[in-house]
C-alpha cells in the first residue's frame, strides 16, 4: 500500500487522459481543503471510494504524510473484511484513525435500534457523525460521494455547506465554478467536501486498476452463504442480517459492489475475481451500484431526507 514516487510518462491513451484529468481535479480540491480549513477530516469507510480518496490525498501531499486524520463512523454491522482492511491500511501508512461507534449512541439513548425485516443501523450513523464533528470541531469533512450514485447526490456542490445542526439545505448552496471553491463559512457551520464528485463508478475502478490499489477481498467474487429477499441476495454468514425462517440459505458465487452496513447491502452474482474482470463487469452493467442498497428504497426521497437530517 506504500505510495511510490510517481513516474512522469507521456500516455496518449484517451481513457488514461480522462482519469488523469479527474485525478488532477481531485488533488486540487484536497489541497484547497488543507489551505482553507483549520480542522479537516477524511471520512473513511473502508470502501473503494474512500480508499481512492486516501490515495489521492497521499499524492496531494507527497512526500509528506496526509495532514489530517481519517474518521470511521462504525455501525458495528460492517463486513469483517472491511474492518480488517481498514486497520491494516492505516497501520501500514502510519495514518491517524478516529473511530466513533453507533453502538455508543444507542447505549446513550440518542438513537433507537431498529427491528424487523428491514432494520438497519445505516440511518443511525447521522447522530454519531454529527456528535463526532462537534467533539473534534471539524470544519470540513472529505467524503467519497459521487454524483452518479443517486439523484440526491447529483445536487451536491463540491464544497457543500451544512448548517450548525449539520443539515443540508439545497436552497442554501453557493454557485460553484471550478477553481473558485468558496470555503468561507459562518460559526457553527461545516462543509462536506466531495473531491471525486465528478467520477463515475467505472472511473473509480479504472483508477484502482491503473494505480494498482489494494482493496478488500469482499469486492471480488467469492462463495458465500446467502438468501434471497425482494429479488436481492443477502449475506447469511454474520447473524446480523434479519432473516425469516422460510428464507432458504444457499451458497452462491457473489461479490459486493458497495460495502455499507451489512443489514442494508446486498450482493450481486459475479465471477469477477480480478480488477480487470470487475472493470469489464461494471462497464457492461445497466444497474447502479446503489441498486443493491435497500436503505435507498425506503422511499423515493430516502437519500435526500437523510442528507437534510445531517447524513453524509
Amino acid at each position: 500500500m506504500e505510495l511510490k514516487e510517481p513516474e512522469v510518462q507521456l500516455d496518449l491513451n484517451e481513457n488514461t487522459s480522462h482519469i488523469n484529468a479527474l485525478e488532477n481535479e481531485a488533488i486540487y480540491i484536497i489541497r484547497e481543503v488543507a489551505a482553507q480549513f483549520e480542522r479537516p477530516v477524511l471520512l473513511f469507510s473502508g470502501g473503494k471510494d474512500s480508499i481512492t480518496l486516501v490515495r489521492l490525498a497521499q499524492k496531494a501531499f507527497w512526500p509528506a504524510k496526509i495532514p489530517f486524520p481519517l474518521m470511521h463512523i462504525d455501525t458495528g454491522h460492517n463486513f469483517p473484511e472491511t474492518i480488517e482492511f481498514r486497520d491494516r491500511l492505516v497501520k501500514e501508512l502510519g495514518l491517524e484513525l478516529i473511530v466513533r461507534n453507533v453502538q455508543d449512541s444507542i447505549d446513550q439513548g440518542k438513537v433507537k435500534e431498529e427491528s424487523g425485516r428491514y432494520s438497519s443501523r445505516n440511518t443511525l450513523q447521522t447522530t454519531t457523525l454529527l456528535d463526532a464533528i462537534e467533539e473534534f470541531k471539524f470544519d470540513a469533512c472529505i467524503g467519497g460521494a459521487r454524483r452518479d450514485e443517486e439523484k440526491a447526490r447529483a445536487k451536491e456542490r463540491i464544497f457543500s455547506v451544512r448548517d450548525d445542526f449539520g443539515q443540508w439545505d439545497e436552497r442554501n448552496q453557493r454557485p460553484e465554478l471550478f477553481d473558485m471553491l468558496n470555503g468561507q463559512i459562518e460559526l457553527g457551520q461545516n462543509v462536506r467536501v466531495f473531491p471525486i464528485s465528478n467520477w463515475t463508478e467505472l472511473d473509480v475502478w479504472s483508477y484502482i486498476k491503473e494505480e494498482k490499489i489494494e482493496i478488500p477481498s469482499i469486492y471480488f467474487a467469492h462463495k458465500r452463504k446467502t438468501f434471497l429477499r425482494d429479488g436481492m441476495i443477502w449475506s447469511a454468514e454474520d447473524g446480523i442480517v434479519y432473516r425469516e425462517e422460510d428464507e432458504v440459505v444457499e451458497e452462491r458465487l457473489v461479490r459486493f459492489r458497495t460495502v455499507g452496513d451489512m443489514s442494508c447491502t446486498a450482493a450481486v452474482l459475479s465471477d469477477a475475481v480480478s480488477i480487470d474482470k470487475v472493470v469489464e463487469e461494471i462497464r457492461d452493467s445497466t444497474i447502479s451500484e446503489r441498486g443493491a442498497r435497500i436503505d435507498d428504497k425506503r422511499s423515493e426521497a430516502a437519500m435526500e431526507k437523510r442528507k437534510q437530517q445531517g447524513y453524509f
Side-chain angles (χ1 to χ4, degrees):
M1 298 179 191
E2 181 181 358
L3 179 66
K4 298 180 180 179
E5 188 169 1
E7 298 178 4
V8 178
Q9 295 180 339
L10 292 176
D11 193 329
L12 300 180
N13 180 274
E14 182 178 350
N15 184 62
T16 300
S17 298
H18 169 69
I19 295 300
N20 287 346
L22 290 173
E23 179 190 65
N24 291 336
E25 178 187 62
I27 287 174
Y28 169 81
I29 293 165
I30 292 170
R31 287 173 176 166
E32 281 296 300
V33 172
Q36 295 193 42
F37 297 95
E38 294 184 5
R39 294 187 64 81
V41 65
L42 193 155
L43 300 181
F44 187 79
S45 67
K48 66 183 184 311
D49 298 315
S50 57
I51 293 169
T52 296
L53 284 178
V54 169
R55 172 56 58 90
L56 291 164
Q58 283 184 286
K59 286 195 167 187
F61 304 107
W62 181 265
K65 285 188 176 182
I66 298 173
F68 39 73
L70 277 55
M71 182 167 72
H72 183 205
I73 304 301
D74 190 344
T75 67
H77 291 174
N78 295 281
F79 290 99
E81 297 95 326
T82 307
I83 298 300
E84 184 277 330
F85 181 90
R86 177 200 71 185
D87 294 342
R88 183 160 51 86
L89 177 70
V90 296
K91 181 178 180 180
E92 290 183 6
L93 298 183
L95 302 176
E96 178 186 355
L97 174 68
I98 298 168
V99 178
R100 287 297 177 267
N101 298 289
V102 170
Q103 185 63 54
D104 291 337
S105 299
I106 295 171
D107 294 343
Q108 293 161 12
K110 294 181 177 180
V111 294
K112 184 178 180 180
E113 182 87 83
E114 296 180 357
S115 61
R117 187 178 180 88
Y118 298 110
S119 59
S120 171
R121 287 187 173 184
N122 202 48
T123 58
L124 306 186
Q125 294 179 82
T126 299
T127 297
T128 312
L129 171 62
L130 295 181
D131 285 350
I133 291 172
E134 176 62 25
E135 176 186 355
F136 293 98
K137 306 301 180 187
F138 291 129
D139 52 2
C141 300
I142 304 169
R146 307 185 322 270
R147 289 186 177 127
D148 75 318
E149 289 181 273
E150 204 271 345
K151 59 186 178 182
R153 298 290 201 198
K155 298 179 180 180
E156 288 281 18
R157 304 292 192 267
I158 290 173
F159 275 18
S160 183
V161 181
R162 299 299 200 269
D163 64 19
D164 52 358
F165 295 103
Q167 297 173 331
W168 174 70
D169 181 356
E170 70 275 16
R171 295 167 298 182
N172 193 31
Q173 302 300 318
R174 301 125 184 218
E176 190 170 75
L177 300 175
F178 182 66
D179 79 5
M180 293 182 64
L181 298 172
N182 186 347
Q184 297 298 314
I185 56 175
E186 298 177 5
L187 183 65
Q189 290 182 331
N190 64 80
V191 170
R192 311 292 170 85
V193 181
F194 306 114
I196 61 172
S197 181
N198 290 327
W199 297 42
T200 66
E201 182 187 12
L202 181 58
D203 291 332
V204 171
W205 280 107
S206 297
Y207 188 72
I208 289 170
K209 175 183 176 181
E210 184 175 301
E211 290 287 309
K212 298 180 175 61
I213 299 173
E214 185 180 353
I215 57 172
S217 60
I218 200 167
Y219 279 113
F220 299 109
H222 58 285
K223 288 184 178 180
R224 197 177 193 92
K225 292 180 180 178
T226 61
F227 66 96
L228 299 179
R229 179 195 297 151
D230 299 330
M232 294 184 176
I233 304 170
W234 301 93
S235 174
E237 290 188 346
D238 43 66
I240 289 174
V241 181
Y242 179 89
R243 180 167 58 86
E244 301 280 3
E245 291 184 5
D246 61 349
E247 291 176 322
V248 179
V249 175
E250 296 181 5
E251 190 173 74
R252 294 177 172 88
L253 187 63
V254 300
R255 73 177 195 87
F256 290 84
R257 289 176 67 180
T258 178
V259 292
D261 189 291
M262 283 188 288
S263 59
C264 64
T265 307
V268 295
L269 294 173
S270 175
D271 60 0
V273 295
S274 67
I275 294 289
D276 287 337
K277 288 290 186 180
V278 170
V279 170
E280 181 181 332
E281 183 178 277
I282 296 302
R283 185 179 289 117
D284 294 338
S285 177
T286 59
I287 301 174
S288 164
E289 64 188 295
R290 294 196 73 90
R293 294 289 292 272
I294 196 67
D295 51 325
D296 289 346
K297 300 180 185 297
R298 294 189 176 194
S299 75
E300 181 119 357
M303 172 68 81
E304 186 153 340
K305 288 180 179 178
R306 294 204 305 277
K307 283 159 55 62
Q308 290 169 345
Q309 294 166 353
Y311 180 80
F312 176 65

